[in-house]
Amino acid sequence: MSSQRNDLQHSAVVVIDMANDFVYPGGVIAEAGGPDYRQRAQRIIAPLGRLLAAARRAGVTVVYATDAHTPGDSELRKWPPHAMAGTWNAEIVPGLAPEPGDVVLGKQTYSPFLNPAFERALQERGLGDAFQRGYDLVWVTDALQAFTDEAHQTGLEYFKTWYANDPARQLRTVDELVGEWTAVPEPAVA
C-alpha cells in the first residue's frame, strides 16, 4: 500500500475552467451553452468537491487551471471576452474554493499545458505531463461537462478510443476514485 500512496503523491487532479463564467447565468460561456448546459455544469460542483477533498486527504495535488484572460489573448479572437482576469467571472466557483497547498494558475489559452508556469508547477511537485508529454491520464467522467450531453458522451468516447490505453482504469467516476483513495492508509507517524 505504501507504493500506492507514493503513486498518489506523484499524481494531480487538474480542475480546468470551473470559473463562474463557465457555470452561472451572465457568464459569456455559460450563456453560450444555454440553460441545460448551466444546469449540468452546476451539477458537477458537489461531486467534484468530494473528489477534491478525497484527493487532498490522499496526498494528491489539486491544481486549478482556469481562464484568466487579458485583452490581447489569442483565444479572444475566437470567443468574445470572457473570464477576464481580476473579475468575478474568472473566479473559481463557490464550493470548489482552493485550499492551502493547492496550485492555482490562470490560463490564457485552451490548454494549461501551453503555460510554462503550469508545467513548472507540476515538475516542482514531481508530477507528470498531459497525454502529449506522456502523462498517464484519468478522465473523471461525471466531473466533466460539454455544451450538450451528446457532446459530453462523444468527448468521452473520443478519449476512450484515441487516448486511453486502459479505458477501464482511465475512465473513472468520482465515486470510484473517492473509494479507491479513501482505502489507502495514512502514512505512519514516527
Side-chain angles (χ1 to χ4, degrees):
M1 284 289 202
S2 65
S3 69
Q4 189 175 8
R5 173 150 305 279
N6 189 42
D7 288 346
L8 292 177
Q9 291 173 339
H10 289 91
S11 298
V13 172
V14 180
V15 181
I16 298 177
D17 289 336
M18 285 304 293
N20 291 319
D21 199 291
F22 288 78
V23 178
Y24 292 111
V28 171
I29 305 300
E31 292 298 329
D36 289 340
Y37 160 76
R38 288 192 300 273
Q39 288 176 349
R40 287 192 320 280
Q42 291 169 25
R43 277 197 304 263
I44 70 172
I45 294 170
L48 187 51
R50 285 190 308 107
L51 180 73
L52 298 181
R56 291 178 185 111
R57 283 191 304 273
V60 174
T61 300
V62 174
V63 179
Y64 293 86
T66 302
D67 277 6
H69 287 293
T70 59
D73 291 347
S74 63
E75 186 177 308
L76 300 184
R77 285 182 253 157
K78 167 73 176 165
W79 289 92
H82 64 281
M84 299 305 287
T87 68
W88 176 86
N89 282 346
E91 292 177 10
I92 296 166
V93 299
L96 298 180
E99 295 186 4
D102 292 347
V103 178
V104 181
L105 295 167
K107 64 183 185 70
Q108 291 72 48
T109 62
Y110 292 109
S111 174
F113 293 93
L114 295 178
N115 179 346
F118 180 80
E119 190 160 357
R120 209 170 26 258
L122 295 181
Q123 288 172 345
E124 287 170 358
R125 289 160 179 80
L127 304 172
D129 196 340
F131 176 79
Q132 294 296 333
R133 300 191 186 211
Y135 286 148
D136 183 24
L137 301 177
V138 173
W139 293 273
V140 187
T141 58
D142 55 345
L144 301 169
Q145 203 45 258
F147 278 152
T148 66
D149 190 51
E150 179 184 15
H152 173 72
Q153 296 305 322
T154 300
L156 293 176
E157 280 303 312
Y158 187 84
F159 294 148
K160 181 179 177 181
T161 302
W162 297 106
Y163 295 122
N165 54 24
D166 183 359
R169 183 183 60 79
Q170 291 180 279
L171 282 93
R172 308 289 298 283
T173 66
V174 167
D175 287 342
E176 289 171 336
L177 289 172
V178 168
E180 183 178 304
W181 294 343
T182 302
V184 176
E186 293 292 321
V189 179

